Amino acid sequence: MPRIKIYHEDHIESPMWRLWNSFSANPFAVIGLWAVIFLLVLTIFAPLIAPYSAEAQDQQVLLLPPSWDPAGSVEHFLGTDDLGRDIFSRILHGVQLTFGMSLLIVAVSLFFGFIIGSLSGMMRGIKSSVLSHLLDALLSIPSLLMAILVVAVMGPGLNNVFWGVGIAMVPQFVRAIHQAVHEELQKEYVTAAKLDGANSFQIFLYVIMPNVWDVVIIQVTMAISAAILDIAALGFLNLGAQAPSPEWGAMVAQGLDNLLLAPWTVTIPGVAILFTVLSVNLVGDGLRSALAPIRN
């Protein structure tokens, strides 16, 4: 009797593979992802790439225009400021202070927000209701205003900016995670897990958590772009990084005095802020679109 060969042609894709396929179908999201990777590389290796120190001054090249200007120089690709400091080097060093610090702030805020939001989301009754109203009150205050209040009390400086923006970010994570966990508790599969004898910790870890990661990911991308703008805004208001720091918001503020004479001292750090926020937002929009079928 001849043998019958059976071929299994069905290929089961993992959720991560489906997510990547959906994400990569959006060309703008892929461009944003490569831009974010580029910024991460600069954050790590900026001191090695920068041709000059961020604070090195050269009185011979004050307010030198960028290299594409006839009066510019290739040695100072993006020109210099009123103290003869190389703007290209300051932009590279500023990646660590603006983009790198925003990542650190979001990571710390996510840690505390995840713990508080998860615990509160598993609560029921008056405790959950009181916390929900408290979060609504905190979220009614814009994050930048809250950061300004914290920094105004603690004093200007990058260390206080870290705490000010971080404190402003925590309620957003708490609210998002609290709401996601609370909604998952109402699902039928949670009731089935309870009937199977699972305790609260097992339900949270094995049943609820796999279904709220999409909310966490989306909230992280939103928080990063908000943190970048808050850090830059505080630097612009002279509440954050202090001179001669190459933080981008502070660079914009320092260049305002020479706006008409040397507009590149303002526009170049401004474009750096715009490029970074736009890149993060493109990745966030791509993730939201890719995760929508999974959530539904």
Side-chain angles (χ1 to χ4, degrees):
M1 172 183 260
R3 295 181 180 179
I4 300 176
K5 295 183 180 180
I6 301 176
Y7 296 92
H8 297 280
E9 297 180 354
D10 294 336
H11 176 65
I12 301 176
E13 294 182 344
S14 66
M16 289 301 297
W17 183 253
R18 291 199 302 270
L19 175 63
W20 169 249
N21 283 338
S22 179
F23 180 85
S24 59
N26 185 342
F28 293 104
V30 175
I31 292 173
L33 178 61
W34 280 111
V36 169
I37 294 173
F38 173 70
L39 290 168
L40 287 172
V41 172
L42 290 183
T43 302
I44 299 172
F45 299 105
L48 302 177
I49 300 173
Y52 302 96
S53 169
E55 301 176 7
Q57 301 180 17
D58 187 352
Q59 300 299 319
Q60 304 299 320
V61 289
L62 300 180
L63 296 178
L64 186 71
S67 59
W68 55 82
D69 188 279
S73 171
V74 177
E75 295 180 358
H76 299 281
F77 176 63
L78 296 180
T80 61
D81 59 11
D82 57 341
L83 296 177
R85 296 173 297 191
D86 183 64
I87 292 180
F88 179 63
S89 299
R90 289 176 63 78
I91 289 292
L92 290 179
H93 284 90
V95 176
Q96 295 181 327
L97 299 179
T98 306
F99 180 68
M101 178 175 283
S102 69
L103 297 180
L104 183 59
I105 289 173
V106 169
V108 174
S109 301
L110 174 61
F111 175 77
F112 290 104
F114 182 81
I115 294 175
I116 299 172
S118 300
L119 292 175
S120 62
M122 296 294 291
M123 294 179 183
R124 294 179 180 273
I126 190 169
K127 292 181 180 179
S128 178
S129 178
V130 169
L131 182 60
S132 180
H133 289 300
L134 178 61
L135 289 173
D136 289 338
L138 291 175
L139 290 174
S140 65
I141 305 175
S143 62
L144 178 58
L145 178 57
M146 186 178 294
I148 290 175
L149 293 175
V150 174
V151 174
V153 172
M154 300 178 66
L158 277 175
N159 291 334
N160 294 338
V161 166
F162 176 86
W163 293 111
V165 178
I167 291 172
M169 291 289 128
V170 169
Q172 301 180 23
F173 283 109
V174 173
R175 180 60 176 174
I177 296 172
H178 167 86
Q179 186 173 357
V181 172
H182 192 71
E183 290 178 355
E184 291 300 319
L185 281 175
Q186 316 303 320
K187 302 294 179 63
E188 294 181 356
Y189 57 79
V190 174
T191 303
K194 292 179 180 179
L195 294 175
D196 286 340
N199 57 39
S200 298
F201 178 76
Q202 291 172 330
I203 290 174
F204 173 76
L205 187 62
Y206 299 109
V207 180
I208 295 178
M209 274 307 303
N211 296 288
V212 300
W213 277 119
D214 56 335
V215 175
V216 175
I217 293 172
I218 292 173
Q219 189 63 37
V220 164
T221 58
M222 295 171 60
I224 291 174
S225 60
I228 293 170
L229 292 175
D230 289 351
I231 293 170
L234 289 171
F236 179 79
L237 296 172
N238 202 31
L239 293 173
Q242 302 295 298
S245 172
E247 194 278 316
W248 293 342
M251 289 179 63
V252 173
Q254 295 163 19
L256 285 178
D257 294 336
N258 303 301
L259 178 59
L260 297 179
L261 183 62
W264 59 87
T265 58
V266 174
T267 56
I268 290 175
V271 168
I273 297 171
L274 174 64
F275 171 79
T276 305
V277 173
L278 179 61
S279 300
V280 174
N281 285 341
L282 287 175
V283 174
D285 290 340
L287 286 173
R288 278 189 286 274
S289 300
L291 289 169
I294 299 177
R295 293 197 304 271
N296 298 331

